[in-house]
Amino acid sequence: MSEPMREIEVTVNGKLHRASVPVRMTLSDCLRHEFGLTGTHVGCEHGVCGACTVLFDGHSARSCLMLAVQANGHEIETIEGLESAKGELSHLQAALRDHHGLQCGFCTPGMLTTLTELLRDNPSPTDSDVRIAISGNLCRCTGYEGIVAAALDAAQRIKDAGSRA
Amino acid sequence: MKPPSFAYHDPKSVEDAVALLGSLENAKLLAGGQSLMPMLNMRFVLPDHVIDLNNIPGLAGVELHDQALVIGAMTRQRELEFSDLVATHCPILAEALLQVGHRQTRNRGTIGGSLCHLDPAAELPTLCLALEAQVEVVGPSGPRGLMFADFPLGYMTPAIGADELVTRIALPLWPKGHGYAFEEFARRHGDFAIASAAVVLTLDAQGAIDRVAVAIGGVCATPMRMEAIEAALMGREPSPELFRAATAACKELDALGDVHAPASYRQHLAGVMVRRALVRACERASAGSKS
């Protein structure tokens, strides 16, 4: 049986991508293999580890639990889209670096997209809010403390700068 | 590629989806995908056809109709979590949703998908049982309604035909100021419950329980309505002794045992969850009747 294919058009980080993809291809594989955006990591591939989290129409979603064909006509933000047009790290990215919120970096794309949504939804999160937000993201290096500290610090930096997460 | 090979269909209407279900062999409906996609990625299911419901307009939304919240089957759990209608009229739904997976999965997961997947430990089926929800199912001969109590036929088996799909869920409202609580024990935040309990009740002017519904999830092959507990509570004043005596019925449950917990532990935990939920529900009902 020949592989059923579909044409899709997806806006990723503001740029329109077109591809012909097998209908069973996950969105995470499409981002990495079709669009060359390997910042999104693929860990467990069944929705547990959170590494593949992207923002789908502004909301965090596991890209391994979506089909690429379902993204047709939708907007996605990945870790590659978080820095400014001039290439500066976002407040959250800078805070994560300053607080040693990553070591191997495997969980980082999921942490950053998840926390970017949190800071947009809730500009003044508590320590508990942050921990609940990242409860669906596994990190085996940091022990999470640096990530939580970075998220709280980033919220303050965003307020000080009067900008958006 | 992780998922098995299948043909993909994205109907634009319920009628088209029903027609596809009627004409295709071995088809699976794709709602929010937070259970079906892991099963596809692990090849626990091998459908020849996947019918995606995400492009059908009109299947999502929350409305208030004569004493019931009517919820479209494709309404995302996120929308319910942040809905003012839910917060005002069915606050136990908002409370239970916080135990459903994580932010990322609630952003995609739907209420209809959770009910049809019917995991025995899932929160929404347990809650729908306690609230005496009604489910609207559409098939080739049109819509039909059934009580959620008649929906689970057995382990992960909903009472819907191979050519039918769930379109709406109606949650009858409890009076303003009613008491409610959803309690759950899981090993990690967002995990499926080892045991959960949904309790809704009202107190009369003397402070005695005059209406109560209790359901338990995660313990048996399907969520369980606990009529024996309800009968033991009716007309009585809340007290720890009453709650302990009433929840003795949990020892009779035909509980599941697995790697996480033996059946006897689930029976015990079910009673603990119900008692905790009763305490919080009574506190809320007392506060609600004074306000």
Side-chain angles (χ1 to χ4, degrees):
Chain A
M1 172 174 152
S2 67
E3 182 81 45
M5 307 285 285
R6 279 249 184 149
E7 304 290 324
I8 59 169
E9 288 190 359
V10 190
T11 304
V12 188
N13 304 324
K15 184 176 167 228
L16 187 67
H17 291 257
R18 289 189 183 84
S20 177
V21 296
V23 297
R24 61 175 164 146
M25 177 177 264
T26 59
L27 177 57
S28 49
D29 280 351
C30 177
L31 289 168
R32 292 175 57 85
H33 304 310
E34 298 294 326
F35 302 158
L37 295 167
T38 53
T40 297
H41 290 166
V42 175
C44 71
E45 295 186 83
H46 61 274
V48 173
C49 77
C52 71
T53 303
V54 299
L55 298 176
F56 184 84
D57 291 339
H59 295 307
S60 62
R62 313 270 206 226
S63 60
C64 77
L65 296 189
M66 293 187 62
L67 298 170
V69 289
Q70 294 185 290
N72 185 35
H74 292 272
E75 293 200 14
I76 291 168
E77 271 178 277
T78 67
I79 186 172
E80 288 96 339
L82 296 184
E83 63 180 21
S84 74
K86 286 183 284 182
E88 293 160 340
L89 296 181
S90 73
H91 291 296
L92 179 64
Q93 287 174 304
L96 200 76
R97 181 178 63 187
D98 295 345
H99 289 271
H100 306 289
L102 70 161
Q103 185 176 316
C104 84
F106 198 89
C107 72
T108 308
M111 290 288 181
L112 285 171
T113 47
T114 299
L115 289 170
T116 295
E117 179 189 41
L118 172 72
L119 296 176
R120 286 176 188 171
D121 282 354
N122 177 1
S124 306
T126 62
D127 182 276
S128 169
D129 292 336
V130 173
R131 287 175 196 275
I132 289 172
I134 60 171
S135 64
N137 296 76
L138 301 183
C139 171
R140 302 291 80 161
C141 303
T142 65
Y144 301 100
E145 298 301 324
I147 298 171
V148 175
L152 295 172
D153 189 16
Q156 192 57 49
R157 293 184 194 194
I158 290 162
K159 263 186 236 161
D160 292 346
S163 61
R164 183 169 182 261
Chain B
M1 233 162 312
K2 284 274 169 164
S5 189
F6 52 74
Y8 173 82
H9 308 267
D10 53 346
K12 304 295 187 288
S13 70
V14 171
E15 293 69 32
D16 289 351
V18 169
L20 284 168
L21 278 172
S23 63
L24 301 172
E25 289 287 320
N26 190 24
K28 270 287 196 191
L29 292 173
L30 175 59
Q34 303 303 291
S35 299
L36 180 58
M37 285 298 299
M39 294 198 301
L40 286 170
N41 285 352
M42 292 188 277
R43 301 202 176 188
F44 288 160
V45 286
L46 302 166
D48 292 315
H49 301 273
V50 167
I51 303 172
D52 187 352
L53 302 176
N54 285 275
N55 295 313
I56 300 179
L59 277 183
V62 187
E63 288 173 17
L64 190 61
H65 286 237
D66 327 301
Q67 294 308 299
L69 269 191
V70 178
I71 302 170
M74 284 295 289
T75 309
R76 309 275 172 202
Q77 291 153 10
R78 176 193 176 89
E79 186 180 341
L80 297 172
E81 185 183 336
F82 291 104
S83 158
D84 290 336
L85 281 176
V86 169
T88 305
H89 297 285
C90 192
I92 192 174
L93 175 55
E95 182 165 298
L97 279 164
L98 295 179
Q99 307 278 349
V100 178
H102 306 283
R103 160 67 45 239
Q104 300 100 324
T105 61
R106 293 197 295 272
N107 284 347
R108 293 292 302 166
T110 65
I111 183 169
S114 176
L115 297 187
C116 292
H117 185 58
L118 207 57
D119 189 295
E123 292 81 2
L124 294 176
T126 305
L127 185 63
C128 283
L129 191 59
L131 293 177
E132 298 180 355
Q134 292 139 28
V135 182
E136 183 188 78
V137 177
V138 174
S141 51
R144 68 182 174 99
L146 74 163
M147 294 296 295
F148 189 78
D150 300 322
F151 193 75
L153 293 177
Y155 180 73
M156 296 180 86
T157 310
I160 43 180
D163 53 358
E164 292 183 317
L165 61 94
V166 170
T167 47
R168 291 197 296 185
I169 296 98
L171 300 177
L173 302 187
W174 279 62
K176 197 169 167 14
H178 69 273
Y180 64 90
F182 192 92
E183 282 286 339
E184 166 166 329
F185 181 80
R187 293 286 299 274
R188 291 171 296 263
H189 183 92
D191 275 8
F192 280 110
I194 293 177
S196 67
V199 168
V200 198
L201 54 76
T202 55
L203 302 177
D204 66 17
Q206 284 72 46
I209 295 171
D210 63 357
R211 189 179 161 203
V212 59
V214 179
I216 289 172
V219 176
C220 304
T222 63
M224 300 296 287
R225 179 81 183 259
M226 299 301 290
E227 276 141 0
I229 296 180
E230 295 168 11
L233 293 169
M234 278 295 285
R236 307 284 300 275
E237 277 196 30
S239 71
E241 297 72 31
L242 174 69
F243 294 166
R244 186 158 291 279
T247 52
C250 294
K251 291 275 189 288
E252 309 301 321
L253 287 167
D254 185 13
L256 303 168
D258 63 16
V259 64
H260 298 297
S264 60
Y265 181 75
R266 280 196 163 83
Q267 290 168 339
H268 168 77
L269 199 57
V272 175
M273 292 300 109
V274 174
R275 288 196 291 276
R276 286 183 188 170
L278 283 168
V279 168
R280 285 204 299 123
C282 286
E283 283 169 6
R284 281 170 163 157
S286 305
S289 61
K290 288 184 192 97
S291 67

